[in-house]
Amino acid sequence: MILVTGSAGFIGANFVLDWLAQHDETVVGLDKLTYAGNLESLASLKDDPRHIFVRGDIGDAELVGQLLKQHRPRAVINFAAESHVDRSIHGPEDFIQTNIVGTFHLLESVRAYWSGMTGEGVIQDNFRFLHVSTDEVYGSLAKGDPAFSETRRYEPNSPYSASKAASDHLVRAYHHTYGLPVLTTNCSNNYGPCQFPEKLIPLMIVNALAGKPLPVYGDGQQIRDWLYVKDHCSAIRCVLEKGHLGEVYNIGGWNEKANLDIVHTICALLDELRPRADDKFYREQIAFVADRPGHDRRYAIDARKVERELGWKPAETFETGIRKTVQWYLDNQGWVDNVQSGSYRQWVEKNYAGRG
Ligand code: NAD
Ligand code: TYD
């Protein structure tokens, strides 16, 4: 049994689906179902007895304590977070609340559960708390700077990355102070199925298909290091099984790309797979807009530690992953419509009223 927080979000849902495709070990998913949490991503598990879903907040100590007591997971994997930089600029409070205060409460609940295993020897020794974090905690690189290694100084620049940095420090402190068996992963930008269409790649696909402008911030030459979400999930499984306690692992696929190149690639794929009715090219929808405040120029992950020490490697190249992603959004227009619609929110409130 494992407990996965943020299990209805983009990476959490992909992780649960992949986990149950490979293991028979039950997953308890805990998710607040904010705007970013979408149970439709987990619809294929609706009648699967290996999947238990609970709506709730990682900061709800009573609920989390009760779940831990009832299900006795051997690991907790913490995906739950507010995750979008632009939202953190316009309203940082939820980021502080969930990413910092929420992680703190979750750590306290997990510490109480783990400490209570005294006398259970192997079970206590084998327990893991895996915290999923981001490369954005390291700040921004200039052209030619070496990629982020695990020893790089933390220099977060957005309220989002600052809140994630704080949570990483708390996780580290719980290991050093209380001996909690933690692992931390810092991953580059993910893309793939079930990503909420506010992040660069799904937003561009969805807007292109809707005939809307494709908003490129500033000059579009900012660089991100892209990893297909299923490769992130395989890295987390690898770190969970083989990672050394208290260690940090940077996860990335050596795929640095400028934003404008990504948008051009998406446009070209759509021209091929779903040509515009008027025979024009999707790239004509590109619109350069005002830059994001404090916009980090470049991220790049040095993934040699996880490759060398744990033997992890990504399966997808950017070319194969982006094609799969565009195709997924073409095949799942209903998912996009639902996640953006008010009726889905009403359904959540009706069926999962109360906690969350
Ligand atoms: P997401 O926004 O798609 O999903 C986050 C999920 O957490 C949602 O389902 C939401 O309902 C849930 N949630 C939010 N607050 C909660 C709370 N207080 N209690 C319980 N659940 C709550 O995010 P994502 O892209 O899937 O990211 C997952 C994790 O991975 C985050 O911690 C993020 O920082 C990290 N990460 C993301 C990326 C990326 O490119 N998306 C890259 C590296 C690391
Ligand atoms: P995003 O997907 O928000 O991820 P992050 O900010 O966590 O890296 O953005 C990826 C890059 O794309 C980032 O440099 C900002 C840029 N961007 C745009 O140019 N236009 C957009 O509409 C969005 C959402 C992002």
Side-chain angles (χ1 to χ4, degrees):
M1 174 82 70
I2 60 169
L3 175 66
V4 176
T5 73
S7 67
F10 163 48
I11 309 174
N14 275 286
F15 181 83
V16 171
L17 291 169
D18 282 10
W19 181 271
L20 291 176
Q22 312 205 0
H23 297 248
D24 268 335
E25 191 175 3
T26 301
V27 176
V28 179
L30 172 67
D31 196 295
K32 189 176 174 180
L33 296 180
T34 68
Y35 79 94
N38 185 3
L39 278 179
E40 212 188 320
S41 307
L42 297 168
S44 61
L45 301 176
K46 199 165 158 278
D47 299 315
D48 192 324
R50 300 170 306 162
H51 176 235
I52 298 163
F53 179 79
V54 179
R55 185 186 190 191
D57 193 314
I58 54 168
D60 182 341
E62 191 192 329
L63 172 67
V64 176
Q66 178 214 313
L67 285 177
L68 292 168
K69 201 168 144 199
Q70 181 184 351
H71 297 292
R72 301 194 58 73
R74 69 168 174 103
V76 174
I77 301 152
N78 183 30
F79 291 96
E82 289 292 335
S83 69
H84 192 210
V85 173
D86 291 327
R87 284 182 190 255
S88 83
I89 294 168
H90 299 298
E93 193 161 350
D94 286 348
F95 290 72
I96 307 307
Q97 202 52 47
T98 283
N99 300 1
I100 306 179
V101 181
T103 302
F104 158 69
H105 286 300
L106 179 64
L107 282 165
E108 278 291 279
S109 303
V110 170
R111 180 165 78 93
Y113 165 64
W114 172 76
S115 312
M117 288 175 173
T118 309
E120 295 182 50
V122 174
I123 299 175
Q124 187 175 37
D125 291 349
N126 288 343
F127 180 78
R128 298 287 181 268
F129 179 88
L130 193 154
H131 179 62
V132 180
S133 192
T134 165
D135 59 359
E136 302 192 24
V137 297
Y138 298 120
S140 186
L141 291 167
K143 203 173 172 193
D145 283 351
F148 300 130
S149 73
E150 289 81 357
T151 54
R152 174 102 188 178
R153 194 170 61 183
Y154 272 36
E155 288 180 334
N157 291 319
S158 71
Y160 164 65
S161 55
S163 66
K164 290 296 291 186
S167 69
D168 294 7
H169 291 326
L170 283 169
V171 170
R172 176 190 161 90
Y174 271 63
H175 177 66
H176 284 270
T177 305
Y178 305 113
L180 193 70
V182 307
L183 297 156
T184 299
T185 55
N186 292 86
C187 188
S188 57
N189 284 58
N190 284 214
Y191 66 101
C194 304
Q195 187 169 30
F196 192 83
E198 63 183 352
K199 306 274 167 58
L200 179 74
I201 288 180
L203 180 87
M204 293 298 161
I205 300 170
V206 168
N207 276 16
L209 292 170
K212 293 184 182 166
L214 308 179
V216 172
Y217 298 163
D219 62 3
Q221 293 309 314
Q222 303 82 6
I223 290 173
R224 298 292 181 263
D225 190 352
W226 295 91
L227 185 68
Y228 191 61
V229 64
K230 303 283 182 190
D231 283 326
H232 187 188
C233 295
S234 78
I236 292 170
R237 292 196 303 275
C238 176
V239 171
L240 183 65
E241 296 313 321
K242 298 195 240 166
H244 302 294
L245 289 189
E247 290 286 316
V248 172
Y249 296 92
N250 283 359
I251 316 289
W254 308 96
N255 269 313
E256 287 184 60
K257 306 267 180 213
N259 292 339
L260 191 57
D261 291 341
I262 299 271
V263 179
H264 281 147
T265 302
I266 292 168
C267 289
L269 280 166
L270 287 173
D271 287 335
E272 176 197 327
L273 299 169
R274 180 73 55 85
R276 271 174 50 156
D278 59 8
D279 284 339
K280 290 189 173 168
F281 295 110
Y282 283 102
R283 66 170 176 267
E284 291 172 43
Q285 290 168 229
I286 292 174
F288 288 91
V289 299
D291 209 349
R292 171 190 279 175
H295 199 168
D296 285 338
R297 196 69 185 164
R298 175 178 164 233
Y299 303 140
I301 278 280
D302 178 342
R304 280 177 295 181
K305 180 176 172 184
V306 68
E307 290 171 0
R308 195 178 50 234
E309 292 185 14
L310 307 187
W312 172 82
K313 276 224 174 312
E316 303 289 342
T317 63
F318 186 73
E319 287 64 34
T320 58
I322 192 71
R323 182 174 281 275
K324 284 184 182 176
T325 304
V326 169
Q327 190 64 57
W328 187 88
Y329 279 90
L330 286 172
D331 295 342
N332 290 276
Q333 189 61 46
W335 181 95
V336 173
D337 294 344
N338 263 350
V339 75
Q340 289 179 324
S341 82
S343 56
Y344 173 69
R345 294 309 316 167
Q346 282 165 14
W347 178 86
V348 167
E349 295 316 326
K350 186 162 159 256
N351 288 279
Y352 289 92
R355 294 206 190 254

